[in-house]
Amino acid sequence: MKDPSSSASSASNFHPGANIASAAGDAAQASAMRNDSQPGSKSPERNSPQTSVTASSAQSRSRDSIPTACLACRSKHLKCDGSHPCARCVASGSECAYVASRRGYKGPRRGAAPNPNKRQATSPPDLDASDVFPYSSASQPISMCRAFKGSSVPSTSSPGSSTGHTPLSNHSQTHRYADTSGTDISTYELSPSIRSGTVQGPLPSLAERCFDSFYQNFHAAHPFVLPKDFIFRFAREGSIEPLLSAMRWVGSLYIDVPAARESLYDEAYQRVKDSHNPRDGFLLQAHMVLIVGMDGAALNDKARELLIAAEKLAIEIAINTRPFAKLYGRGIPVLEESWRRTWWDLLVIDGMIAGVHRMTNFELFDIPADVALPCEEHQFLSGNIPPSRYLEDLEDQEFTAGDDDREFSSFSYRILCARNLGKFMRTDAIQGPDDPNLARIEALLTNWRLHLPPSKRDPLDRDGRVDEMMFQAHMMVHATSILLHQPHSQLDSSPASSVTSCAPHQAVLTTGHPFNAHTRHVIASATAISHLVTLPAASLASHTHFFTCVLTLSSIVHLSKWALRFVQYDDDDLRQLLRLNVAALSELARVWPAAERARGQVRGVAADIYRAKKQVQAAPQFWFGLTREQVMSSIAADDSIIEEISENPHAQRSTITG
């Protein structure tokens, strides 16, 4: 009878970012050996070392065996002479490093006592590999760091097979290629400490680094893909390869691998678009990861095209219905939760794209859905999924609080914000500042804020860390408020008309003083968005990339106010908010080209306003009623902000351009 612990331990060794040489081997060492043949097989160029060789076998072998091959030769499937350094590395100027081979290793002997000093592989809780792979027919681990370019790849010749091309959906091949710069993306990048020999052991491959970067930097902002500890269990399933490819590309945006980034994008896009893919939830997740990444990379047209395809796929597979999670969750609670989150995050993504770009119509808002609400993030990451709650419970909680006093998850309040945005977008054209429809939407936004439980009123969790789901919820509320009130405010938006990186310019021509209520709503929301920058996040880039466009919307309000003539010497707070926004856009631009475009436009408008203010300030009557100290202070403050905004340095890394 099969030992369950053995099965679980074997499955836990898979890393979706690398080829696995041996299911029973250590995952880190196995990833370094990802190009070796399977235990017990023979390579046409390299033979396993033998302690003794018979006379007959010695006559049949025309080449001498070597103990192992260096990493550079192994990654290129080339014969290595075993020297230190080897001849090929000397000729190419490559670093020559060796890792002990595990070829022929068949795992620990049955009944052998475990080594107390060796770290044992562990499984995620409540999961057994036989439960996760009931329909998998693959007898060998699937390569998770395969990459290729083009719509097809050369197939490996074998007896009875024809040469030519293998479709993308054939996941039994190991695919490798060099990117456009000629850099082999599967080779190791040796750090100085490794080169000097101070660190021993195999290094993570590029694919592993990208995979880990995805979870470290992106997953918390759009947490629908299975947590890292659980997705390992699906490594054998070829149907998730498009998803893994998308994750690798998005993960690469956060690390310094510009030479490989375009190739990773090509691979991910082609895999997701392949017509042979199973049309399932994993393919939908792959679409969603790509959509967010492509929108942040300023590939807006392709992102919208993929969004339309994702919406069709979601309705086709009925992921918006309550039974889907049970039908396709395989009895695994964390997988069921992942499916629920997939629908709701797709709804949020659709709403965010419609809200910040104003080029789509939030199609999913009109689709009926009875999917259970997501749980808290720590519950999802641990796999301890609580009983489900539903949207009607959340929307009617003020009337049923006596029946159930449990708080809803942060993700749930984020969903409410997306739905309020949808209700605003479905409202008939608001005719003026006194239109009842405007008051109705403002009531929705105000009620959302007033009915938050105390633990959700700040975008921080109980430990003082940023709660990304509540961060996005507050971000959406403030952005919706600006979109609602800006057309009826007294801030002339024409000075910022060239800021179009996220959405077309929206003309607001009425001006006046003092400000009306709509102007104050707009200014308060823009200020609140700027203050989100000050929250103690590990990195601004760890927030959703849609924060870029919300910051841009806030900056348009600040710039419009800064351009007003009656704002004179007492606008230092406004200058500080502009500094915050530009600095945040600069930080986001290290990852997202869309942020770089927005930053450039905001800086350009700030420079134009500065020059215009200088001309107006030349007239003596501009300073009427102010003391000399106030005049000098205002001039110095304006000079300082334009100098800081214009010289805010950062090193923008190259990425996909189209």
Side-chain angles (χ1 to χ4, degrees), residues 466-537:
V466 173
D467 181 337
E468 179 64 24
M469 295 295 94
M470 289 309 300
F471 179 95
Q472 293 183 29
H474 285 279
M475 176 191 84
M476 280 192 281
V477 163
H478 298 314
T480 305
S481 179
I482 292 176
L483 295 175
L484 174 66
H485 292 285
Q486 190 177 33
H488 314 289
S489 71
Q490 295 164 297
L491 288 177
D492 182 3
S493 64
S494 60
S497 60
S498 61
V499 182
T500 59
S501 58
C502 290
H505 169 64
Q506 185 175 11
V508 180
L509 301 178
T510 58
T511 59
H513 187 63
F515 291 152
N516 64 14
H518 301 288
T519 308
R520 296 185 182 281
H521 272 297
V522 169
I523 292 174
S525 294
T527 301
I529 289 169
S530 296
H531 287 161
L532 290 175
V533 176
T534 67
L535 293 175

Side-chain angles (χ1 to χ4, degrees), residues 613-634:
K613 287 173 74 74
K614 283 296 183 185
Q615 292 176 357
V616 174
Q617 290 170 359
Q621 60 269 26
F622 179 82
W623 303 106
F624 180 77
L626 301 182
T627 66
R628 176 181 175 83
E629 289 74 16
Q630 290 172 334
V631 171
M632 298 303 296
S633 174
S634 180

Side-chain angles (χ1 to χ4, degrees), residues 122-193:
T122 58
S123 319
D126 302 323
L127 275 176
D128 183 81
S130 60
D131 296 329
V132 180
F133 310 120
Y135 307 112
S136 174
S137 60
S139 59
Q140 298 295 342
I142 297 294
S143 165
M144 294 306 165
C145 72
R146 294 186 301 250
F148 61 92
K149 195 171 187 177
S151 60
S152 58
V153 294
S155 63
T156 303
S157 298
S158 61
S161 66
S162 60
T163 59
H165 293 85
T166 302
L168 304 190
S169 59
N170 184 349
H171 301 294
S172 63
Q173 292 291 105
T174 298
H175 307 300
R176 300 174 63 254
Y177 71 103
D179 65 33
T180 52
S181 67
T183 303
D184 185 344
I185 69 168
S186 67
T187 58
Y188 289 80
E189 299 177 13
L190 299 180
S191 65
S193 60

Side-chain angles (χ1 to χ4, degrees), residues 213-256:
S213 172
F214 172 88
Y215 278 102
Q216 181 179 352
N217 299 297
F218 181 87
H219 187 258
H222 293 278
F224 54 89
V225 176
L226 279 168
K228 186 177 179 181
D229 287 345
F230 293 90
I231 203 167
F232 281 95
R233 315 304 294 276
F234 291 80
R236 289 191 178 95
E237 300 202 9
S239 64
I240 73 168
E241 189 62 24
L243 171 60
L244 296 172
S245 298
M247 293 164 64
R248 288 193 293 269
W249 172 60
V250 169
S252 76
L253 299 175
Y254 296 86
I255 58 179
D256 191 16

